[in-house]
Amino acid sequence: MAGKRTMESGRTKKGKNFYFYKLIVVLFFVLAVAFVLYIAPNYIRNDVVGKTNLVINNSNVTKSLKNDVLIEDGVVYVSTKDIANFFDGNIFYDNKYDQIITSSDTKLASLKINNDTITVNGASKEIMKPAKKVGQEFYLPFSEISKSVYNVETKYIEDTDTVVLVSLDRELTYANSRKNNSVKYKPTGFSKTIDRVSAGDNLTIVQQDDSTDSSGWVKVTTENGKVGYVKENSIANEKKVRDNLEIEPQVQGKISMFWDYFSEYAQAPQRSGKVEGVNVVSPTFFTLQKLGKGNIVANVGTRGTNYINWAHNNGYKVWASFSNNSLKDTTSEILNDYELRQKLIDNIITAVVTYNIDGINMDFENIYEADKLMYSRLIIELAPRLRELGKVLSVDVTAPDGSPDWSLCYDRNTISKVADYIVYMGYDQNGVSSPKEGTTAGCDWVEANIKKFLGQEEVSADKLILAVPFYTRIWTETNGEIDSRVVEMKEVYSLIPSDAKIEWDDELKQNYAEYQKNGKTYKVWIEDEKSLKYKLELVNTYNLAGAAYWEKDREPDSIWSTIAQILNVK
């Protein structure tokens, strides 16, 4: 019996030992998983060994680079693909002149390949190293041009083979280390040390969003270009030396602009007094010269100067209209040649400065669809030249999804990103070339296209200005044939017989009239104060930048108080 109990006791001990060992293995596995999930990431580093690291605004982006950063005789080279990724999404290789064209908010630069010259906003200067091609990739001498083009400071730290780029228009805060300090990769004591700093060393404080859980820690960039964390109580003498650069808009609140049309053979209208509900005017001062290779026709003169003075005296901004007069071939020739584009831009800048104009409203229509990219190039290259002078660029476009040379010729997304405003000309839903009669601007059609701008075209609401008509059309139907003529808003009711039947169309949000006269049928989709009110309400509904009106003097005087009230423009 004793032997049996001894054998049973031995089996019990072995069973306990087995379960104990099993428990140890499970615990080890759990700890290993915990280490992988929670501890190991604290030892993963962004910097890359064996190549030049790039830190942009306190973030190591080396792993995101498409091409290596190159250092040549102390000059930092960055590929155009990486410049596109971090600084200029519209950087462009111009095959005709073998040059790179790049821009920022206020600068336009061109660098010919293997040429020690850069041209910035029309002024040329020599640089130490040229733009070049390495294999199949283009590179720019970034440290040579970063300040003058991108407003970015470049610093190469040879000891750590790190390039540090800092945007000079962003907030900057410095501090000192209170003690000899270990800089951690993550905000925890378990994280790997990526750099060590001594007491008194300078640190750049990195601004973080609220989603980062770093309680008790501060993210910093060291003088070696390393980005990590130190304890909050281990820094001293924190001092903000620069705020984010914020540019105030030229017009506060909603834009409310009217076009003042007069042909190149007429003179600017003589205005007096103040128009209620307006803060911008756009006189048709400038047109493209036919076959002029970038020359413009300025129709300003004494009357135009008086007009500008009248506008400024009443607190209006003057965004002069510049039209290509639908000169498709002349426009195409200029768009497809960088030097002609620059000639045109130089002429625009000269006109803006000469006449003390606050901005330009680009009204280029009837453009070859094939020139879509190059029209965007013109806007990309014009915008920084105007912005450097504190001037505004607005660009007129038609509704999306129309005909090739009237609608599909615009890259609305790109235009809206580089220009200050994009103006949707919300009219001629049915116009002179329409195969059937219909409204000039039904509210449902206007709203559907606003949704396309904001959705399909990805235009920001605060960039979009809705332009509405101060006119409509009277359609005539004779034996199945249709014709139409434009009538001004202020006179439309006087042209409709008093016994004509007028009905409200709640879908179009406008009155409709139809009547017979001399064997002909007349149809009118009426634009009036009521129909305009519904369209203007869309500006508030979708929080658009504002509204514009084609054209002054076609409206009844009472319309301006309605505009002032809806847009809250005094």
Side-chain angles (χ1 to χ4, degrees), residues 58-129:
N58 302 304
S59 179
N60 193 317
V61 300
T62 310
K63 290 182 179 179
S64 301
L65 293 175
K66 298 181 183 300
N67 296 287
D68 289 348
V69 173
L70 307 178
I71 309 297
E72 186 176 297
D73 297 330
V75 174
V76 176
Y77 274 91
V78 180
S79 75
T80 55
K81 286 182 179 177
D82 289 309
I83 291 173
N85 192 24
F86 296 111
F87 294 102
D88 175 18
N90 296 308
I91 194 168
F92 181 74
Y93 172 66
D94 178 18
N95 183 66
K96 182 173 184 177
Y97 293 105
D98 193 26
Q99 63 181 351
I100 303 295
I101 304 164
T102 185
S103 60
S104 62
D105 281 348
T106 60
K107 296 293 186 287
L108 172 69
S110 61
L111 301 92
K112 293 185 182 296
I113 302 301
N114 298 323
N115 188 304
D116 297 336
T117 302
I118 183 174
T119 301
V120 180
N121 285 8
S124 298
K125 68 175 184 177
E126 290 187 359
I127 52 179
M128 289 175 58
K129 292 284 187 177

Coordinates of all heavy atoms in Angstrom, one line a residue, residues 58-129:
N58 N 10.4 69.3 -38.7 CA 10.4 68.4 -37.5 C 9.8 67.0 -37.7 O 9.4 66.4 -36.8 CB 9.7 69.1 -36.4 CG 10.3 70.5 -36.0 OD1 11.5 70.6 -35.8 ND2 9.5 71.5 -36.1
S59 N 9.8 66.5 -39.0 CA 9.4 65.2 -39.3 C 10.4 64.5 -40.2 O 10.7 65.1 -41.3 CB 8.0 65.2 -39.9 OG 7.6 63.9 -40.2
N60 N 10.9 63.4 -39.8 CA 11.8 62.6 -40.7 C 11.0 61.9 -41.7 O 10.2 61.0 -41.5 CB 12.6 61.6 -39.8 CG 13.8 61.1 -40.6 OD1 13.7 60.7 -41.8 ND2 14.9 60.9 -39.9
V61 N 11.2 62.3 -43.0 CA 10.5 61.8 -44.1 C 11.3 60.9 -45.0 O 10.9 60.6 -46.1 CB 9.9 63.0 -44.9 CG1 8.9 63.8 -44.1 CG2 11.0 63.8 -45.6
T62 N 12.5 60.5 -44.6 CA 13.4 59.7 -45.4 C 12.7 58.5 -46.0 O 12.9 58.2 -47.2 CB 14.6 59.3 -44.6 OG1 15.1 60.5 -43.9 CG2 15.7 58.7 -45.5
K63 N 11.9 57.8 -45.2 CA 11.3 56.5 -45.7 C 10.2 56.8 -46.8 O 9.8 55.9 -47.5 CB 10.7 55.8 -44.6 CG 11.7 55.2 -43.6 CD 11.0 54.4 -42.5 CE 12.0 53.7 -41.6 NZ 11.4 52.9 -40.5
S64 N 9.8 58.1 -46.9 CA 8.8 58.4 -47.9 C 9.4 59.0 -49.2 O 8.6 59.3 -50.1 CB 7.8 59.5 -47.3 OG 7.2 59.0 -46.1
L65 N 10.7 59.1 -49.2 CA 11.3 59.7 -50.4 C 11.2 58.7 -51.6 O 11.4 57.5 -51.4 CB 12.8 60.0 -50.1 CG 13.1 61.1 -49.1 CD1 14.6 61.2 -48.9 CD2 12.5 62.5 -49.6
K66 N 11.0 59.3 -52.8 CA 11.0 58.5 -54.0 C 12.4 58.3 -54.5 O 12.7 57.4 -55.3 CB 10.1 59.2 -55.0 CG 8.6 59.3 -54.6 CD 7.8 59.9 -55.6 CE 6.3 60.1 -55.2 NZ 5.7 58.8 -54.8
N67 N 13.3 59.3 -54.2 CA 14.7 59.2 -54.6 C 15.6 59.7 -53.5 O 15.1 60.5 -52.7 CB 14.9 60.1 -55.9 CG 14.1 59.6 -57.1 OD1 14.4 58.6 -57.7 ND2 13.1 60.3 -57.4
D68 N 16.8 59.3 -53.5 CA 17.8 59.7 -52.5 C 18.0 61.2 -52.6 O 18.1 61.8 -53.7 CB 19.1 58.9 -52.6 CG 19.0 57.5 -52.3 OD1 17.9 57.1 -51.7 OD2 19.9 56.7 -52.6
V69 N 18.3 61.8 -51.4 CA 18.8 63.2 -51.4 C 20.3 63.1 -51.7 O 21.0 62.2 -51.2 CB 18.6 63.8 -50.0 CG1 19.3 65.1 -49.8 CG2 17.1 63.9 -49.7
L70 N 20.8 64.0 -52.5 CA 22.2 64.0 -52.9 C 22.9 65.2 -52.3 O 22.3 66.3 -52.3 CB 22.3 64.0 -54.4 CG 21.6 62.9 -55.2 CD1 21.8 63.1 -56.7 CD2 22.0 61.5 -54.7
I71 N 24.2 65.0 -51.9 CA 25.0 66.2 -51.5 C 26.2 66.3 -52.4 O 26.9 65.3 -52.6 CB 25.5 65.9 -50.0 CG1 24.3 65.6 -49.1 CG2 26.2 67.2 -49.5 CD1 23.3 66.6 -48.9
E72 N 26.3 67.4 -53.0 CA 27.4 67.6 -54.0 C 28.1 68.9 -53.7 O 27.5 70.0 -53.9 CB 26.8 67.6 -55.4 CG 27.9 67.7 -56.5 CD 27.3 67.6 -57.9 OE1 26.7 66.5 -58.2 OE2 27.4 68.5 -58.7
D73 N 29.3 68.9 -53.3 CA 30.1 70.1 -52.9 C 29.3 71.0 -51.9 O 29.3 72.2 -52.1 CB 30.5 70.9 -54.2 CG 31.4 70.1 -55.1 OD1 32.2 69.2 -54.6 OD2 31.3 70.3 -56.3
G74 N 28.7 70.3 -51.0 CA 27.9 71.1 -50.0 C 26.6 71.5 -50.4 O 25.8 72.1 -49.6
V75 N 26.2 71.3 -51.7 CA 24.9 71.7 -52.2 C 23.9 70.5 -52.0 O 24.3 69.4 -52.4 CB 24.9 72.1 -53.6 CG1 23.5 72.4 -54.2 CG2 25.8 73.4 -53.7
V76 N 22.8 70.7 -51.5 CA 21.7 69.7 -51.3 C 20.9 69.6 -52.5 O 20.2 70.6 -52.9 CB 20.9 70.0 -50.0 CG1 19.8 68.9 -49.9 CG2 21.7 70.0 -48.8
Y77 N 20.8 68.4 -53.1 CA 19.9 68.2 -54.3 C 18.7 67.3 -53.8 O 18.9 66.3 -53.2 CB 20.7 67.4 -55.4 CG 21.5 68.3 -56.3 CD1 22.8 68.6 -56.0 CD2 20.9 68.8 -57.5 CE1 23.5 69.4 -56.9 CE2 21.6 69.6 -58.3 CZ 22.9 69.9 -58.0 OH 23.6 70.7 -58.9
V78 N 17.6 67.7 -54.3 CA 16.3 67.0 -54.0 C 15.7 66.7 -55.4 O 15.6 67.6 -56.2 CB 15.4 67.7 -53.1 CG1 14.1 66.9 -52.8 CG2 16.1 68.0 -51.7
S79 N 15.1 65.5 -55.6 CA 14.5 65.2 -56.9 C 13.2 66.0 -57.0 O 12.5 66.3 -56.1 CB 14.2 63.7 -57.0 OG 13.1 63.3 -56.2
T80 N 12.8 66.2 -58.3 CA 11.6 66.9 -58.6 C 10.4 66.1 -58.1 O 9.3 66.7 -57.7 CB 11.4 67.3 -60.1 OG1 11.6 66.1 -60.8 CG2 12.5 68.2 -60.5
K81 N 10.5 64.8 -58.1 CA 9.3 64.0 -57.6 C 9.1 64.2 -56.1 O 8.0 64.3 -55.6 CB 9.6 62.5 -57.9 CG 9.4 62.1 -59.4 CD 9.6 60.7 -59.6 CE 9.4 60.3 -61.0 NZ 9.7 58.8 -61.3
D82 N 10.2 64.4 -55.4 CA 10.1 64.6 -53.9 C 9.7 66.1 -53.6 O 8.9 66.3 -52.7 CB 11.4 64.3 -53.2 CG 11.6 62.8 -53.2 OD1 10.7 62.0 -52.8 OD2 12.7 62.3 -53.6
I83 N 10.1 67.0 -54.5 CA 9.7 68.4 -54.3 C 8.2 68.4 -54.6 O 7.4 69.1 -53.9 CB 10.4 69.3 -55.3 CG1 11.9 69.4 -54.8 CG2 9.8 70.7 -55.3 CD1 12.8 70.2 -55.8
A84 N 7.7 67.7 -55.6 CA 6.3 67.6 -55.9 C 5.5 67.1 -54.7 O 4.4 67.5 -54.4 CB 6.0 66.8 -57.1
N85 N 6.1 66.1 -54.0 CA 5.4 65.5 -52.9 C 5.3 66.4 -51.6 O 4.3 66.4 -50.9 CB 6.1 64.2 -52.5 CG 5.4 63.3 -51.5 OD1 4.1 63.4 -51.5 ND2 6.1 62.5 -50.8
F86 N 6.4 67.2 -51.4 CA 6.4 68.0 -50.2 C 6.2 69.5 -50.3 O 5.8 70.2 -49.4 CB 7.7 67.7 -49.5 CG 7.9 66.3 -49.0 CD1 8.9 65.5 -49.6 CD2 7.1 65.8 -48.0 CE1 9.0 64.2 -49.2 CE2 7.3 64.4 -47.6 CZ 8.2 63.6 -48.2
F87 N 6.5 70.0 -51.5 CA 6.5 71.5 -51.7 C 5.7 72.0 -52.8 O 5.0 73.0 -52.7 CB 8.0 72.0 -51.8 CG 8.8 71.8 -50.5 CD1 9.7 70.8 -50.5 CD2 8.6 72.6 -49.4 CE1 10.4 70.5 -49.3 CE2 9.3 72.4 -48.2 CZ 10.2 71.3 -48.2
D88 N 5.8 71.4 -54.0 CA 5.1 72.0 -55.2 C 4.5 70.9 -56.0 O 5.2 70.3 -56.8 CB 6.1 72.8 -56.0 CG 5.5 73.3 -57.3 OD1 4.3 73.3 -57.4 OD2 6.3 73.7 -58.2
G89 N 3.3 70.6 -55.8 CA 2.6 69.5 -56.6 C 2.4 69.8 -58.0 O 2.1 68.9 -58.8
N90 N 2.7 71.1 -58.4 CA 2.6 71.5 -59.8 C 3.9 71.7 -60.5 O 4.0 72.2 -61.6 CB 1.8 72.8 -59.9 CG 0.4 72.6 -59.4 OD1 -0.4 71.7 -59.8 ND2 -0.1 73.4 -58.5
I91 N 5.0 71.2 -59.9 CA 6.4 71.3 -60.6 C 6.3 70.6 -61.9 O 5.6 69.6 -62.1 CB 7.5 70.7 -59.7 CG1 8.8 71.2 -60.1 CG2 7.3 69.2 -59.5 CD1 9.9 70.9 -59.1
F92 N 7.0 71.2 -62.9 CA 6.8 70.9 -64.3 C 8.0 70.9 -65.1 O 8.9 71.8 -65.0 CB 5.8 71.9 -64.9 CG 5.4 71.7 -66.3 CD1 4.5 70.7 -66.6 CD2 5.8 72.5 -67.3 CE1 4.1 70.5 -68.0 CE2 5.4 72.4 -68.6 CZ 4.5 71.3 -69.0
Y93 N 8.2 69.8 -65.9 CA 9.4 69.8 -66.8 C 8.9 70.3 -68.2 O 8.0 69.8 -68.8 CB 10.0 68.4 -67.0 CG 11.0 68.4 -68.1 CD1 12.2 69.1 -68.0 CD2 10.8 67.7 -69.2 CE1 13.2 69.1 -69.0 CE2 11.7 67.6 -70.3 CZ 12.9 68.3 -70.1 OH 13.9 68.3 -71.1
D94 N 9.5 71.4 -68.7 CA 9.2 72.0 -69.9 C 10.1 71.5 -71.0 O 11.3 71.9 -71.1 CB 9.3 73.5 -69.8 CG 9.0 74.3 -71.1 OD1 8.4 73.6 -72.0 OD2 9.4 75.4 -71.2
N95 N 9.6 70.6 -71.8 CA 10.5 69.9 -72.8 C 11.0 70.8 -73.8 O 12.2 70.7 -74.3 CB 9.7 68.8 -73.5 CG 10.5 68.0 -74.4 OD1 11.4 67.3 -74.1 ND2 10.1 68.1 -75.7
K96 N 10.2 71.8 -74.2 CA 10.6 72.7 -75.3 C 11.9 73.5 -75.0 O 12.8 73.7 -75.8 CB 9.5 73.7 -75.7 CG 9.8 74.7 -76.8 CD 8.6 75.5 -77.2 CE 8.9 76.4 -78.4 NZ 7.7 77.1 -78.9
Y97 N 11.9 74.0 -73.7 CA 13.1 74.8 -73.3 C 14.0 74.0 -72.3 O 14.9 74.6 -71.8 CB 12.6 76.1 -72.6 CG 11.8 77.0 -73.6 CD1 10.5 77.1 -73.6 CD2 12.5 77.7 -74.6 CE1 9.8 77.9 -74.5 CE2 11.9 78.6 -75.5 CZ 10.5 78.6 -75.4 OH 9.8 79.5 -76.3
D98 N 13.8 72.7 -72.2 CA 14.6 71.9 -71.3 C 14.8 72.5 -69.9 O 16.0 72.8 -69.5 CB 15.9 71.6 -72.0 CG 16.7 70.5 -71.3 OD1 16.1 69.6 -70.7 OD2 18.0 70.5 -71.4
Q99 N 13.7 72.8 -69.2 CA 13.8 73.5 -68.0 C 12.8 73.0 -67.0 O 11.8 72.4 -67.4 CB 13.6 75.0 -68.1 CG 12.3 75.4 -68.7 CD 12.1 76.9 -68.9 OE1 12.9 77.7 -68.5 NE2 11.0 77.3 -69.6
I100 N 13.0 73.2 -65.7 CA 12.1 72.9 -64.7 C 11.4 74.2 -64.2 O 12.0 75.2 -64.0 CB 12.8 72.2 -63.4 CG1 13.5 71.0 -63.9 CG2 11.7 71.9 -62.4 CD1 12.6 69.9 -64.4
I101 N 10.1 74.1 -64.1 CA 9.3 75.3 -63.7 C 8.6 74.9 -62.4 O 8.0 73.9 -62.2 CB 8.2 75.7 -64.7 CG1 8.8 75.9 -66.1 CG2 7.4 76.9 -64.2 CD1 7.8 76.0 -67.2
T102 N 8.9 75.7 -61.3 CA 8.4 75.4 -60.0 C 7.9 76.7 -59.4 O 8.3 77.8 -59.7 CB 9.5 74.7 -59.1 OG1 8.9 74.3 -57.9 CG2 10.6 75.7 -58.9
S103 N 7.0 76.5 -58.4 CA 6.3 77.7 -57.8 C 6.0 77.5 -56.4 O 5.9 76.3 -55.9 CB 5.1 78.1 -58.6 OG 4.1 77.0 -58.6
S104 N 5.7 78.6 -55.7 CA 5.2 78.6 -54.3 C 4.1 79.6 -54.3 O 3.6 80.1 -55.3 CB 6.3 78.9 -53.3 OG 6.8 80.2 -53.5
D105 N 3.6 80.0 -53.1 CA 2.5 80.9 -53.0 C 2.8 82.3 -53.7 O 1.9 82.9 -54.4 CB 2.1 81.2 -51.6 CG 1.3 80.1 -51.0 OD1 0.8 79.2 -51.7 OD2 1.1 80.1 -49.7
T106 N 4.1 82.7 -53.6 CA 4.4 84.0 -54.1 C 5.6 84.0 -55.1 O 6.0 85.1 -55.5 CB 4.7 85.0 -53.0 OG1 5.8 84.5 -52.2 CG2 3.5 85.2 -52.0
K107 N 6.1 82.9 -55.5 CA 7.2 82.8 -56.3 C 7.0 81.9 -57.5 O 6.5 80.8 -57.3 CB 8.5 82.4 -55.5 CG 8.9 83.4 -54.5 CD 9.4 84.7 -55.0 CE 9.9 85.7 -54.0 NZ 8.9 86.3 -53.1
L108 N 7.5 82.3 -58.7 CA 7.5 81.4 -59.8 C 9.0 81.4 -60.3 O 9.6 82.4 -60.5 CB 6.7 82.0 -61.0 CG 6.8 81.2 -62.3 CD1 6.2 79.8 -62.2 CD2 6.1 82.0 -63.4
A109 N 9.5 80.1 -60.4 CA 10.9 80.0 -60.8 C 11.1 79.0 -62.0 O 10.3 78.1 -62.1 CB 11.7 79.5 -59.6
S110 N 12.1 79.3 -62.8 CA 12.5 78.4 -63.9 C 14.0 78.2 -63.8 O 14.8 79.1 -63.6 CB 12.1 79.0 -65.2 OG 12.7 80.2 -65.5
L111 N 14.4 76.9 -64.0 CA 15.8 76.5 -64.0 C 16.1 75.6 -65.2 O 15.5 74.5 -65.3 CB 16.2 75.8 -62.7 CG 16.0 76.4 -61.4 CD1 14.6 76.1 -60.8 CD2 17.1 76.0 -60.4
K112 N 16.9 76.1 -66.1 CA 17.3 75.3 -67.3 C 18.2 74.2 -66.8 O 19.1 74.4 -65.9 CB 17.9 76.2 -68.4 CG 16.9 77.1 -69.0 CD 17.6 77.9 -70.2 CE 16.6 78.9 -70.8 NZ 15.4 78.3 -71.4
I113 N 18.1 73.0 -67.4 CA 18.9 71.9 -67.0 C 20.4 72.2 -67.4 O 20.7 72.7 -68.5 CB 18.5 70.6 -67.7 CG1 17.0 70.3 -67.4 CG2 19.4 69.4 -67.4 CD1 16.8 70.1 -65.9
N114 N 21.3 72.0 -66.4 CA 22.8 72.2 -66.6 C 23.1 73.7 -66.9 O 24.1 74.0 -67.6 CB 23.3 71.3 -67.7 CG 23.2 69.8 -67.4 OD1 23.3 69.4 -66.3 ND2 22.8 69.0 -68.4
N115 N 22.3 74.6 -66.4 CA 22.6 76.0 -66.5 C 22.6 76.7 -65.1 O 21.6 76.5 -64.4 CB 21.5 76.6 -67.4 CG 21.8 78.1 -67.8 OD1 22.0 78.9 -66.9 ND2 21.8 78.4 -69.1
D116 N 23.7 77.4 -64.8 CA 23.9 78.0 -63.5 C 23.1 79.3 -63.3 O 23.6 80.2 -62.7 CB 25.3 78.2 -63.2 CG 26.2 77.0 -63.2 OD1 25.6 75.9 -63.0 OD2 27.4 77.0 -63.5
T117 N 21.8 79.3 -63.8 CA 21.0 80.5 -63.6 C 19.6 80.1 -63.2 O 19.1 79.1 -63.7 CB 20.9 81.2 -65.0 OG1 22.2 81.6 -65.4 CG2 20.1 82.5 -64.8
I118 N 19.0 80.9 -62.4 CA 17.6 80.7 -62.0 C 16.9 82.0 -62.2 O 17.4 83.1 -62.0 CB 17.4 80.3 -60.5 CG1 16.0 80.0 -60.1 CG2 18.1 81.3 -59.6 CD1 15.8 79.5 -58.8
T119 N 15.6 81.9 -62.7 CA 14.8 83.1 -62.9 C 13.6 83.0 -61.9 O 12.9 82.0 -61.9 CB 14.3 83.2 -64.3 OG1 15.4 83.3 -65.2 CG2 13.4 84.5 -64.5
V120 N 13.5 84.0 -61.0 CA 12.4 84.0 -60.0 C 11.6 85.3 -60.2 O 12.1 86.4 -60.1 CB 13.0 84.0 -58.6 CG1 11.9 84.0 -57.6 CG2 13.9 82.8 -58.4
N121 N 10.3 85.1 -60.5 CA 9.4 86.2 -60.7 C 10.0 87.3 -61.7 O 9.9 88.5 -61.5 CB 9.1 86.9 -59.4 CG 8.1 86.1 -58.6 OD1 7.8 85.0 -58.9 ND2 7.6 86.7 -57.5
G122 N 10.6 86.7 -62.8 CA 11.0 87.6 -63.9 C 12.5 88.1 -63.7 O 13.0 88.6 -64.7
A123 N 13.1 87.9 -62.6 CA 14.5 88.3 -62.4 C 15.4 87.2 -62.3 O 15.2 86.2 -61.6 CB 14.6 89.1 -61.1
S124 N 16.5 87.2 -63.1 CA 17.5 86.1 -63.2 C 18.7 86.4 -62.3 O 19.1 87.5 -62.1 CB 17.9 85.9 -64.6 OG 16.8 85.6 -65.4
K125 N 19.3 85.3 -61.8 CA 20.5 85.4 -61.0 C 21.3 84.1 -61.1 O 20.7 83.0 -61.5 CB 20.3 85.7 -59.6 CG 19.6 84.6 -58.8 CD 19.5 85.0 -57.3 CE 18.9 83.8 -56.5 NZ 18.8 84.1 -55.1
E126 N 22.6 84.1 -60.9 CA 23.4 82.9 -61.0 C 23.3 82.1 -59.7 O 23.1 82.7 -58.6 CB 24.9 83.3 -61.2 CG 25.1 83.9 -62.6 CD 26.6 84.1 -62.9 OE1 27.4 83.8 -62.0 OE2 26.9 84.5 -64.1
I127 N 23.5 80.8 -59.8 CA 23.5 79.9 -58.6 C 24.8 79.1 -58.7 O 25.4 78.9 -59.8 CB 22.3 79.1 -58.5 CG1 22.0 78.3 -59.9 CG2 21.1 79.9 -58.1 CD1 20.8 77.5 -59.8
M128 N 25.2 78.5 -57.6 CA 26.4 77.7 -57.6 C 26.3 76.4 -58.4 O 27.3 76.0 -59.1 CB 26.8 77.3 -56.1 CG 27.3 78.5 -55.3 SD 27.5 78.0 -53.6 CE 28.7 76.6 -53.8
K129 N 25.2 75.7 -58.3 CA 25.0 74.5 -59.0 C 23.7 74.5 -59.8 O 22.7 75.0 -59.4 CB 25.0 73.3 -58.0 CG 26.3 73.0 -57.3 CD 27.3 72.3 -58.2 CE 28.6 71.9 -57.4 NZ 29.5 71.2 -58.3

